[in-house]
Amino acid sequence: MKTPGPRPVPDRQCLQGILYVLHTGIGWEDLPQELGFRSGMTCWRRIKRWINAGVFDDLHRILLAQLNPANEIDWSRAVIDGSHIDTKKCPYGLRQAVTGVRGS
């Protein structure tokens, strides 16, 4: 029995399409279908699903766990960027306890 609709795009093809967009900087809607990635929206939906499932966080942890003991990471080139983190105001008592500074 045939299922309705187009066949799902294999994960590998979607990953190649995602990497193509990230490498070239083109928009998702401009992803060339003739390269076999299907539509950019398909790749975009797949990366969104993978992000929500924590795939890239898991991959990051796995790579760090394997590369760090093998001394394959150049930590002198590492950068910490907290600009995307939503900070909350520190409660008065905690700020004073941690820094010794009284709140205003």
Side-chain angles (χ1 to χ4, degrees):
M1 176 156 187
K2 257 185 140 176
T3 58
R7 291 180 127 166
V9 179
D11 287 341
R12 186 180 190 104
Q13 279 182 295
C14 276
L15 179 60
Q16 289 174 330
I18 291 164
L19 294 174
Y20 185 87
V21 168
L22 296 176
H23 179 73
T24 62
I26 65 170
W28 291 106
E29 65 279 0
D30 298 325
L31 185 65
Q33 290 188 16
E34 53 273 5
L35 294 179
F37 309 133
R38 297 253 183 103
S39 81
M41 288 299 104
T42 298
C43 294
W44 179 81
R45 281 191 297 272
R46 190 76 53 94
I47 193 173
K48 188 127 173 99
R49 190 179 336 149
W50 289 342
I51 289 169
N52 290 338
V55 170
F56 294 103
D57 291 335
D58 292 345
L59 179 60
H60 187 225
R61 280 193 221 43
I62 291 167
L63 286 172
L64 284 176
Q66 291 181 3
L67 296 175
N68 192 36
N71 290 323
E72 293 291 327
I73 300 174
D74 181 4
W75 289 108
S76 69
R77 299 179 59 127
V79 176
I80 297 175
D81 178 14
S83 63
H84 65 283
I85 297 173
D86 184 27
T87 59
K88 306 291 182 211
K89 289 193 174 187
C90 184
Y92 169 73
L94 182 60
R95 179 185 301 152
Q96 187 175 4
V98 173
T99 64
V101 176
R102 298 180 73 97
S104 50

